[in-house]
Amino acid sequence: MLEIDDLHVAVSGKEILKGLSLSIDAGEVHAIMGPNGSGKSTLSYVLAGREGYEITGGSIRYRGEDLAAMAPEERAAKGVFLAMQYPVEIPGVTTMNFLKTALNAQRRARGEKEVDALGVLRLVREKAKALHISEEMLKRALNVGFSGGEKKRLEILQMALFEPALAILDETDSGLDIDALKVVADGVNALRSPERAMLVITHYQRLLNYIVPDRVHVLYGGRIIKEGGKDLAHELEAKGYADIIREAA
Amino acid sequence: MTALVLPNRRVEDWKYSDLRNAIEPEAVEFAPVATWNVCLSGSVEQNDLPEIMPRAVHGQMGDMAASRAKFGLFLHVAKGQQGAADLQLANPGHGRALIVVEDDAALVLREHGRADGFTNLAVDIVLGPNARLKHIREAFRSEAVRVSDYALRLAAGANYRAHLADFGAKLSRTELHIALEGEGAQADLSGVSVLGDGGHADVTTRVTHASGNTQSTQLFKIIAGGKSRGVYQGKVSVAEGANGTDSRQTAKGLLLGERAEIDLKPELEILADDVKCAHGAAVGDLDPESLFYLRSRGLPEAEARALLMRAFLEDAVGEIADERIRAEVWSRVEAALAELSA
């Protein structure tokens, strides 16, 4: 599904990712763990196609295609979804209208029939319930005045609605209390499927108690310095990053 | 005969709208008298202008129009009556109109401006006690030079709501001189200017709180793309003794390129003690984070830009209470935005 090979990425001329390699197959959930400044967010943004992230070396292939050559909207239409750490607030656009516009933009790009307002409403309602997202929230302006937990739940709602093939979750646990974390993790787990790959990016092991990964990669200094099964997350929690970094050095 | 000197950038009030630069004095000097196509419904009477006009405070061009247009349009809604009037300029030139809405009467006034050439209108509006006027004015994109100068007087309890949409012209200037003369009179003004390459739109408001417990709100949004210029200058004056005045003034601009310019100039002059007045102005660009967010959810760039621009205008257009009229204005605004974001 996703093959990242020796990826180098610079932001404002400064190299952040320095030869990152990673491969994820359909049906797998991988976790990327790393301390602050290791390049976690850079990886998520470069996968989603944000401007200002310059690929200076290596490649990203998604389903055999060159992901880096695609515009952000093209990636979305082809099934790449990034649940952002800081979803933006957009006054003047209702959440419901945004969901409808985005869903149909993706469908249009794929040559699929658009879903009418009522159809979108049905789809959203059904998925919103499980995530404890109220009708009232959907009528409000996108993310405006939403709590941290509400914003993260809305990201997962979008993931459920768009049904991406590759979902990247960037620090989805940050700012969540344990109850909110469970709701979000349940939402994510419900979307695990043999056709879908997920990349869970996090600083803490806590989220991985609820979203149990198949593989764990430790990112440090712009490179993967250690890989392992789900137990690696526990090891990290027990030892802290410093020990792992020392061992890898 | 001395040559006519048109308002120009050396005149403070016309600093951002140089009329002298936009048109030859002869075209102004020899402009004919403007006429309207009028469509009325409900209890609105149409007559010739009366011999004696009510006192009105216009700007320089409004005074000129008033002195040059020897005939014009007079609309009248009698006490307690209701009606609607649709005005469309039939022939450009100097024009004069008087609109009187008497005690407890209500009028919905719609104007559509499409005329080319030179237009200079002076419109006097008088609202009696507790009269209500909803004024929706759309000025379409054209190569015209157009000045519209409204002078309004509001008696006690009268209510004026204005909603402007200007899509730009070679020079487009709208002046609203509003005197809140009676206790409890209220004026709510909102407007959007959506300007593409070569467009200009200037909204200049002068609101005077002459009596106590009067209220005014203003919400203006300007989007300027290409080489264009959007202007808002609004002055709110609170007269001595006009206690209990409540005034809010907001103007925001969205610049889409290096060659576009937006000038916002809110002003406040307060001579009373017990008043609530707030004003704010800000100009910015489309937020790149928001743009990326929308694109990452599948919206093509042009569509994402158009959505953000629409969102920027949402509250100002949303001031139009009538759903049907609001939808009509939105459809024209969206068409203009689609052109800007293409």
Side-chain angles (χ1 to χ4, degrees):
Chain A
M1 176 86 65
L2 180 70
E3 275 164 50
I4 304 174
D5 185 33
D6 193 28
L7 184 66
H8 293 254
V9 174
V11 181
S12 312
K14 188 177 175 235
E15 191 168 59
I16 307 289
L17 297 184
K18 303 168 181 170
L20 184 145
S21 296
L22 184 68
S23 170
I24 309 177
D25 287 331
E28 292 181 346
V29 174
H30 287 220
I32 291 201
M33 299 186 68
N36 291 333
S38 57
K40 299 195 298 293
S41 285
T42 297
L43 176 62
S44 69
Y45 282 138
V46 84
L47 289 174
R50 187 174 165 147
E51 269 174 43
Y53 293 77
E54 193 198 346
I55 296 178
T56 53
S59 67
I60 310 171
R61 302 200 76 77
Y62 168 69
R63 290 175 150 172
E65 285 186 90
D66 180 9
L67 189 71
M70 300 178 198
E73 55 268 35
E74 201 182 342
R75 301 178 197 209
K78 287 187 169 167
V80 178
F81 177 80
L82 168 64
M84 292 196 197
Q85 184 178 5
Y86 303 110
V88 299
E89 301 186 2
I90 305 186
V93 180
T94 66
T95 302
M96 194 62 213
N97 184 41
F98 158 74
L99 293 173
K100 174 172 169 270
T101 307
L103 178 68
N104 281 328
Q106 293 186 21
R107 293 182 67 92
R108 209 162 47 234
R110 291 192 294 261
E112 295 167 9
K113 200 168 164 286
E114 292 188 30
V115 184
D116 65 14
L118 197 65
V120 177
L121 188 66
R122 272 200 209 108
L123 273 173
V124 171
R125 265 192 192 144
E126 171 201 313
K127 297 175 194 302
K129 217 174 155 190
L131 288 160
H132 304 271
I133 291 172
S134 64
E135 293 266 322
E136 187 268 334
M137 221 175 112
L138 296 168
K139 284 180 190 156
R140 274 149 63 187
L142 182 61
N143 285 320
V144 177
F146 286 24
S147 70
E150 286 174 327
K151 285 179 184 168
K152 296 298 169 74
R153 275 184 276 150
L154 187 66
E155 292 291 288
I156 304 307
L157 174 65
Q158 292 176 51
M159 180 173 150
L161 187 66
F162 304 151
E163 300 181 315
L166 171 66
I168 303 141
L169 287 80
D170 186 10
E171 306 269 358
T172 296
D173 51 335
S174 70
L176 296 188
D177 62 29
I178 197 70
D179 292 330
L181 185 70
K182 279 181 187 163
V183 171
V184 165
D186 286 348
V188 173
N189 286 327
L191 295 167
R192 291 179 86 142
S193 96
E195 293 83 42
R196 184 168 291 133
M198 291 190 195
L199 186 59
V200 180
I201 297 173
T202 181
H203 184 110
Y204 302 103
Q205 177 263 342
R206 187 178 71 152
L207 178 68
L208 304 179
N209 285 336
Y210 300 95
I211 304 172
V212 180
D214 301 301
R215 297 286 295 165
V216 175
H217 313 262
V218 180
L219 180 62
Y220 179 73
R223 269 189 219 99
I224 303 293
I225 58 165
K226 193 171 168 110
E227 290 180 282
K230 62 176 189 285
D231 295 333
L232 179 55
H234 295 286
E235 194 187 330
L236 261 174
E237 184 73 1
K239 290 186 180 172
Y241 282 109
D243 275 5
I244 302 275
I245 291 162
R246 207 173 307 121
E247 283 169 27
Chain B
M1 196 172 113
T2 51
L4 183 66
V5 178
L6 294 172
N8 57 72
R9 61 191 163 80
R10 294 186 197 286
V11 181
E12 182 62 25
D13 224 21
W14 290 80
K15 192 174 168 186
Y16 309 113
S17 302
D18 195 324
L19 194 60
R20 191 171 58 183
N21 213 11
I23 192 166
E24 295 299 319
E26 293 75 31
V28 174
E29 187 81 59
F30 302 110
V33 175
T35 56
W36 284 271
N37 288 324
V38 182
C39 178
L40 304 175
S41 62
S43 305
V44 187
E45 292 166 44
Q46 183 184 345
N47 286 298
D48 293 333
L49 283 179
E51 291 276 327
I52 298 167
M53 293 285 285
R55 179 181 55 81
V57 179
H58 285 286
Q60 187 182 341
M61 290 305 289
D63 283 340
M64 187 191 293
S67 71
R68 296 195 179 217
K70 295 302 174 201
F71 57 92
L73 174 70
F74 176 28
L75 299 179
H76 178 222
V77 187
K79 270 186 188 175
Q81 300 296 307
Q82 296 193 4
D86 257 56
L87 304 184
Q88 197 157 2
L89 205 67
N91 297 296
H94 295 289
R96 185 97 217 261
L98 170 65
I99 295 165
V100 177
V101 185
E102 287 195 48
D103 315 18
D104 302 303
L107 176 67
V108 176
L109 173 67
R110 290 190 72 176
E111 285 185 89
H112 313 263
R114 200 183 281 285
D116 286 320
F118 169 71
T119 302
N120 182 32
L121 308 176
V123 180
D124 293 8
I125 298 175
V126 180
L127 303 185
N130 299 315
R132 297 182 306 282
L133 173 61
K134 284 182 188 160
H135 182 191
I136 299 100
R137 179 174 180 275
E138 292 175 86
F140 300 124
R141 177 85 180 100
S142 80
E143 292 308 312
V145 172
R146 58 189 182 213
V147 181
S148 294
D149 185 325
Y150 301 85
L152 292 99
R153 299 175 57 187
L154 277 73
N159 187 302
Y160 173 61
R161 291 185 68 84
H163 309 289
L164 314 178
D166 199 322
F167 300 100
K170 186 177 182 192
L171 186 146
S172 183
R173 164 103 160 186
T174 307
E175 292 185 27
L176 289 167
H177 302 263
I178 300 172
L180 302 170
E181 296 180 347
E183 180 96 7
Q186 180 170 349
D188 298 300
L189 319 176
S190 73
V192 298
S193 299
V194 182
L195 308 173
D197 199 35
H200 169 278
D202 171 341
V203 175
T204 295
T205 67
R206 299 283 178 263
V207 178
T208 305
H209 291 259
S211 276
N213 301 314
T214 47
Q215 259 191 59
S216 68
T217 64
Q218 301 189 50
L219 176 60
F220 286 92
K221 297 279 181 87
I222 300 171
I223 298 183
K227 183 169 164 47
S228 65
R229 182 175 229 173
V231 181
Y232 166 80
Q233 22 180 28
K235 185 170 179 183
V236 174
S237 307
V238 182
E240 211 172 318
N243 293 325
T245 285
D246 190 343
S247 157
R248 269 167 293 153
Q249 200 181 0
T250 304
K252 286 186 180 164
L254 186 59
L255 280 171
L256 300 181
E258 307 258 302
R259 294 181 305 144
E261 180 171 333
I262 294 177
D263 304 287
L264 306 177
K265 198 176 148 199
E267 280 180 276
L268 202 49
E269 181 187 66
I270 304 174
L271 300 174
D273 304 322
D274 171 26
V275 299
K276 273 195 289 186
C277 293
H279 69 181
V283 178
D285 306 317
L286 273 184
D287 175 34
E289 298 242 354
S290 302
L291 204 53
F292 169 65
Y293 187 82
L294 294 175
R295 292 181 70 191
S296 81
R297 303 305 142 114
L299 274 72
E301 189 176 359
E303 201 182 329
R305 294 177 74 88
L307 186 76
L308 289 176
M309 288 190 255
R310 192 192 190 283
F312 173 76
L313 302 175
E314 174 70 37
D315 53 355
V317 178
E319 287 283 306
I320 303 172
D322 184 290
E323 204 173 316
R324 186 180 57 86
I325 298 175
R326 190 172 64 238
E328 284 176 25
V329 172
W330 263 133
S331 72
R332 278 183 278 269
V333 168
E334 280 168 357
L337 293 181
E339 257 176 61
L340 273 183
S341 54

